[in-house]
Amino acid sequence: MPEPSTVNSLMGAIAGTGRDARRGGYSRPVYSTPELELREWFTSEATSRGLAVERDANGIIWAWWDLPAGHDGGAPSGADARRGALVTGSHLDSVPGGGAFDGPLGVASALAAYDVLAAREAAGDLQRHRALAIAVFPEEEGSAFGVACLGSRLLTGAIDTARALNLRDASGTTFADASCAQGLDPDAMGRDAAALARIGDFVELHVEQGLGLNGEEYTDAAGRGPAVAVASSILGHGRWRFSVSGQGNHAGTTLMSDRADPMVAAAQMVLAVRKTAAAQSDARATVGRLEPVPGGTNVIASRVDFWMDVRHPDDAVTAAVVERIHGQAQKIAAFEGCTVTMTEESYSGTVHFDAALTRALQGSVQRTTPGAPALSTGAGHDAGVLAAEVPTGMLFVRNPSGISHSPEEHVEDDDATAGTIALADTLEDLL
Ligand code: GLV
Ligand code: MN
Ligand code: MN
């Protein structure tokens, strides 16, 4: 057995992969060179531990710690030996210019937690009754093909397969072609009942992406919050594309009074997004991406596309906020002599994690983090998609600044170590 790795040494080994010199932080879009390098890294780490690595039809990587041959603990055997397994894992892709921890921390912690469990088993301190798998999901961020959690959505059938295959990245490549280039067969992609039957419970460890663990009610005299929390729910969230069309024209020869400038209309729409969300308690709305066509300094754009992300705990409120913004966008477009269309690109309703599994996680986590709280999160996760199919829970590791989707995302080494032990304890109790 190789020397057990620590989560921090594993994270250190990938710290140079996918750095983005222009944006800062990391850009690791799905199936890009850096993301593929990370998938290779994971495969090699898992294989060196004797785990059986396979990639399924949807591009999800699974590393299996099967029960030993001849196991007589009453668990399924033969072809069924992986049915109802305990699964942990996360993703390796990132947003453009993202932090080091969003995704990879869950994968590295899973490998390090395996090392802890293997050592406990070797010492006779762990009796397993089911297999364990570490899963790595592709395109969790949706930063290449626009729909977040694409791998888990395909696995569960939460997205229509034909629609997923037709999604395009910025260069116009379809997800079908990108998948083919990875040796996947688009005809085999989509809901995978056999793969789902292998997941008995899913537990994802993730960096906390807000200040939840730094709240006054949790921090000690030194102002430090607990290292780990258990997730309670994920806010409903979705993405909408606005296309604002006007009259492309010359920046010098077109009088201000003669313009139908979609950029001017889009700018007002962005302000309307902020104002509408700010007026609704607990709503969050963001425009983080805007593309003028054709995009020249001396060109009045003919079209501006922008993408809006809206989140709220109550799905009906999210729908009402989006409709309010849509109505305002139509009025703004008409005033500016433009037109606007709004298209929903994805939506995930609010998810409350499995109550029994969450209670079990809270119990296990108390061993390393007494008083670990249950936190709701505003961030989306593959765990949220899987929750519709299997009992699912999450652990969050403290993020001192609460900053995420940014190069400044940070986790202290001690907290990452505590997260690994909390994950190992949790997995042990569930195995
Ligand atoms: C993913 O991290 C998201 O919440 O968009
Ligand atoms: Mn993210
Ligand atoms: Mn993530």
Side-chain angles (χ1 to χ4, degrees):
M1 199 186 299
E3 270 297 290
S5 311
T6 64
V7 61
N8 297 309
S9 66
L10 288 162
M11 290 297 291
I14 58 172
T17 307
R19 281 193 185 271
D20 189 324
R22 187 171 69 85
R23 299 182 179 102
Y26 295 90
S27 291
R28 298 159 164 168
V30 70
Y31 300 150
S32 63
T33 302
E35 201 252 4
L36 290 170
E37 277 175 28
L38 293 187
R39 288 162 74 88
E40 269 306 311
W41 160 81
F42 171 75
T43 301
S44 138
E45 287 290 339
T47 307
S48 74
R49 286 165 168 78
L51 304 179
V53 179
E54 57 183 37
R55 188 184 59 167
D56 72 13
N58 292 309
I60 301 164
I61 306 176
W62 303 82
W64 287 95
W65 189 25
D66 290 310
L67 290 173
H71 171 88
D72 60 358
S77 58
D80 270 351
R82 291 177 177 172
R83 241 184 124 77
L86 177 59
V87 182
T88 187
S90 193
H91 61 99
L92 293 169
D93 64 302
S94 79
V95 294
F101 299 91
D102 178 355
L105 183 68
V107 176
S109 300
L111 289 165
Y114 161 81
D115 289 340
V116 172
L117 294 174
R120 288 181 188 172
E121 185 174 70
D125 295 334
L126 167 66
Q127 298 291 325
R128 289 190 291 140
H129 299 282
R130 55 178 169 160
L132 175 74
I134 305 175
V136 176
F137 292 91
E139 185 63 325
E140 191 270 353
E141 298 289 5
S143 49
F145 291 92
V147 175
C149 301
L150 198 50
S152 54
R153 281 187 210 267
L154 280 162
L155 168 68
T156 56
I159 186 167
D160 176 69
T161 309
R163 191 184 152 229
L165 293 173
N166 279 320
L167 293 169
R168 287 176 192 274
D169 67 11
S171 69
T173 303
T174 62
F175 188 61
D177 285 345
S179 301
C180 278
Q182 296 309 315
L184 294 164
D185 173 6
D187 289 336
M189 293 171 82
R191 184 177 166 85
D192 186 340
L196 282 169
R198 291 199 291 259
I199 312 176
D201 301 282
F202 179 70
V203 179
E204 179 170 1
L205 177 145
H206 204 278
V207 58
E208 219 282 279
Q209 293 176 280
L211 283 166
L213 275 165
N214 299 291
E216 262 177 20
E217 64 276 46
Y218 306 126
T219 44
D220 59 20
R224 190 181 170 110
V228 178
V230 175
S232 55
S233 61
I234 297 183
L235 285 194
H237 56 284
R239 297 180 183 188
W240 289 263
R241 189 184 72 224
F242 287 74
S243 274
V244 191
S245 297
Q247 178 58 59
N249 217 330
H250 193 290
T253 60
T254 316
L255 298 180
M256 297 312 281
S257 54
D258 291 345
R259 298 180 180 210
D261 184 344
M263 183 60 90
V264 171
Q268 294 170 67
M269 292 176 200
V270 172
L271 294 176
V273 168
R274 182 180 71 167
K275 195 167 172 196
T276 308
Q280 175 66 57
S281 149
D282 255 354
R284 294 122 206 232
T286 307
V287 176
R289 180 176 160 212
L290 182 147
E291 289 175 6
V293 178
T297 304
N298 56 351
V299 180
I300 299 168
S302 57
R303 195 179 88 227
V304 172
D305 293 334
F306 67 88
W307 283 260
M308 175 177 79
D309 178 309
V310 181
R311 309 187 186 211
H312 190 276
D314 182 332
D315 296 334
V317 173
T318 307
V321 167
V322 170
E323 243 346 281
R324 239 172 275 149
I325 293 168
H326 186 203
Q328 288 165 23
Q330 284 171 319
K331 281 193 198 135
I332 293 165
F335 184 79
E336 294 295 338
C338 298
T339 57
V340 63
T341 59
M342 181 185 83
T343 314
E344 180 180 300
E345 294 202 331
S346 63
Y347 188 71
S348 302
T350 290
V351 168
H352 296 279
F353 286 113
D354 184 82
L357 182 59
T358 300
R359 269 196 306 280
L361 265 53
Q362 281 183 296
S364 305
V365 165
Q366 296 307 318
R367 301 216 285 282
T368 51
T369 316
L375 293 181
S376 175
T377 179
H381 301 285
D382 291 304
V385 175
L386 291 174
E389 299 280 339
V390 295
T392 297
M394 290 188 76
L395 302 182
F396 293 133
V397 178
R398 193 175 76 98
N399 174 345
S401 66
I403 292 175
S404 187
H405 283 186
S406 155
E408 284 108 282
E409 181 183 79
H410 184 63
V411 170
E412 301 285 342
D413 285 359
D414 287 356
D415 290 342
T417 302
T420 292
I421 302 299
L423 179 63
D425 288 346
T426 297
L427 298 175
E428 174 174 342
D429 292 348
L430 294 168
L431 276 169

